[in-house]
Amino acid sequence: MSHASGRVVVGVSGSLGSLAALRRAVQEARRDGRTLVAVIAWSPPEGETLYRRAPCPPLAKAWAGKAADRLDTAFHEALGGVPEDVDVEFEVVRSEPGFALCDIADQEGDLLVVGAGGQGLAGRLRWSPVRRYVLARARCPVLAVPAPAVSWRTARAALRRVDPMDFTPRRADPHGTTA
């Protein structure tokens, strides 16, 4: 394993594209022996301007906690948990996503990994502001990872097979099986 300088910084939102970016970022960090910095950016639902008019620190703390939970959930959905063979740092940042990613990925040798958006025109348009911002302003190489292609036919067929019990939390017993 070679040890490259810098870090692998990945933007995580919980979207399918960001989960694909997270998986690829872990591969890059593992391959080069770099530290993985997982970043999730959040802002108040009504926006910073309205929040400043009536600030509520307990609400801001709750929103930051929700963002941290989304970051944790993304690791479990994409990788089954935090990889033990990679040094991982978690960054929960109150900021716009593009600005936060460019601000954090500022060291020489950093690699910034982002999701390239969904498939089709709607997916590309929805994610284009962050991707455009990062590509225009990043001070390090950027790797844009496409989301896996999922057809509507496949998704509809999978949803038809869903059982309500699929949505209930299951606890693991001491023997490693789920109950």
Side-chain angles (χ1 to χ4, degrees), residues 42-64 94:
W42 70 275
S43 58
E46 72 276 2
E48 291 292 347
T49 304
L50 289 177
Y51 180 82
R52 278 192 288 266
R53 296 173 106 189
C56 181
L59 266 179
K61 187 175 180 181
W63 292 326
R94 183 173 174 175

Side-chain angles (χ1 to χ4, degrees), residues 8 10 21-31 36 75 79 83 85-86 88:
V8 177
V10 61
L22 178 58
R23 291 178 62 87
R24 180 59 185 268
V26 168
Q27 291 174 353
E28 293 292 325
R30 188 176 284 140
R31 179 184 60 142
L36 175 72
F75 270 88
L79 305 161
D85 61 335
V86 175
V88 180

Side-chain angles (χ1 to χ4, degrees), residues 6-9 34 101-113 134-143:
R7 307 162 301 164
V8 177
V9 179
R34 298 185 195 196
L101 291 170
C102 290
D103 189 48
I104 291 170
D106 64 346
Q107 297 178 12
E108 186 175 329
D110 281 353
L111 172 66
L112 179 55
V113 183
V134 166
L135 289 173
R137 291 175 178 84
R139 295 180 298 264
C140 65
V142 177
L143 175 61

Side-chain angles (χ1 to χ4, degrees), residues 22-165:
L22 178 58
R23 291 178 62 87
R24 180 59 185 268
V26 168
Q27 291 174 353
E28 293 292 325
R30 188 176 284 140
R31 179 184 60 142
D32 295 337
R34 298 185 195 196
T35 298
L36 175 72
V37 181
V39 180
I40 187 163
W42 70 275
S43 58
E46 72 276 2
E48 291 292 347
T49 304
L50 289 177
Y51 180 82
R52 278 192 288 266
R53 296 173 106 189
C56 181
L59 266 179
K61 187 175 180 181
W63 292 326
K66 293 264 189 200
D69 289 345
R70 279 198 326 268
L71 186 57
D72 185 55
T73 299
F75 270 88
H76 286 285
E77 289 178 352
L79 305 161
V82 178
E84 295 180 7
D85 61 335
V86 175
D87 291 330
V88 180
E89 296 176 7
F90 300 94
E91 294 280 344
V92 179
V93 182
R94 183 173 174 175
S95 177
E96 292 300 316
F99 179 81
L101 291 170
C102 290
D103 189 48
I104 291 170
D106 64 346
Q107 297 178 12
E108 186 175 329
D110 281 353
L111 172 66
L112 179 55
V113 183
V114 294
Q119 300 294 321
L121 180 61
R124 286 192 301 274
L125 289 176
R126 193 174 92 202
W127 289 106
S128 62
V130 172
R131 188 175 65 238
R132 275 196 314 251
Y133 186 95
V134 166
L135 289 173
R137 291 175 178 84
R139 295 180 298 264
C140 65
V142 177
L143 175 61
V145 180
V150 177
S151 72
W152 285 107
R153 179 175 289 156
T154 304
R156 274 196 304 255
L159 286 173
R160 286 188 186 119
R161 293 188 299 271
V162 170
D163 183 273
M165 293 304 292

